[in-house]
Amino acid sequence: MEKIKVEISWVDKNYCCGWGCPEFGAVLCTNKTLEGVKSDFEAAVKQQAADMIADGEPLPQWLADGDYEFDYSLAVSALLRQAEKFTTMAVISRFTGINPKLLSHYANSVKIPRMAQRERIVNGLHAIGQQFLAVR
């Protein structure tokens, strides 16, 4: 089974993602919700494959057969926007040690963090989650 690797980011108040390959073309989607962008993206890939088959266009066999799965990852911008459903940037800042203004730049895709910063953010979110799990 093939994996379609898709990175979801946050751009202009929407989650967005895209994927493409030379034999297929490209699919781009945006949506206000994380679940919505995933659903729209999966439907768009399936529809484009079906349209290509109907038009007699060449298509990689694994795409024609539906022998694939989606492997989603979140860019820091999308990760922070998703985390805002459960906590605030101020709390994330306290747990990560990253300046709130810099976190805001990351959340708005103004700046892209290095991998070490991404790991600090993920570790900080895990620590916040552990605090929630400790509540009895």
Side-chain angles (χ1 to χ4, degrees):
M1 179 168 287
E2 296 287 327
K3 285 192 184 242
I4 296 177
K5 294 184 182 228
V6 184
E7 183 178 67
I8 299 173
S9 59
W10 179 265
V11 178
D12 198 28
K13 300 181 183 179
N14 287 293
Y15 291 97
C16 64
C17 64
W19 174 80
C21 70
E23 306 88 11
F24 183 72
V27 173
L28 301 171
C29 289
T30 65
N31 195 293
K32 294 283 183 200
T33 68
L34 182 59
E35 299 79 16
V37 78
K38 287 179 180 181
S39 176
D40 290 353
F41 182 77
E42 291 172 16
V45 169
K46 289 176 187 170
Q47 185 62 52
Q48 184 164 322
D51 291 348
M52 290 177 75
I53 291 168
D55 292 344
E57 295 181 49
L59 185 66
Q61 196 60 47
W62 60 272
L63 273 167
D65 294 343
D67 189 27
Y68 57 87
E69 63 185 12
F70 298 97
D71 182 16
Y72 293 103
S73 64
L74 297 180
V76 170
S77 57
L79 182 64
L80 288 170
R81 291 301 176 183
Q82 186 66 11
E84 281 184 315
K85 290 181 174 182
F86 309 103
T87 190
T88 65
M89 286 294 176
V91 171
I92 296 170
S93 175
R94 281 195 301 273
F95 275 82
T96 61
I98 299 173
N99 178 302
K101 185 168 179 101
L102 184 55
L103 280 175
S104 177
H105 285 299
Y106 292 157
N108 291 307
S109 298
V110 173
K111 293 186 177 185
I112 307 299
R114 294 181 320 270
M115 188 55 72
Q117 285 289 80
R118 184 185 196 289
E119 288 192 26
R120 282 177 69 186
I121 292 167
V122 169
N123 290 338
L125 292 173
H126 287 178
I128 294 167
Q130 290 297 321
Q131 295 291 316
F132 284 123
L133 290 173
V135 175
R136 298 251 180 238

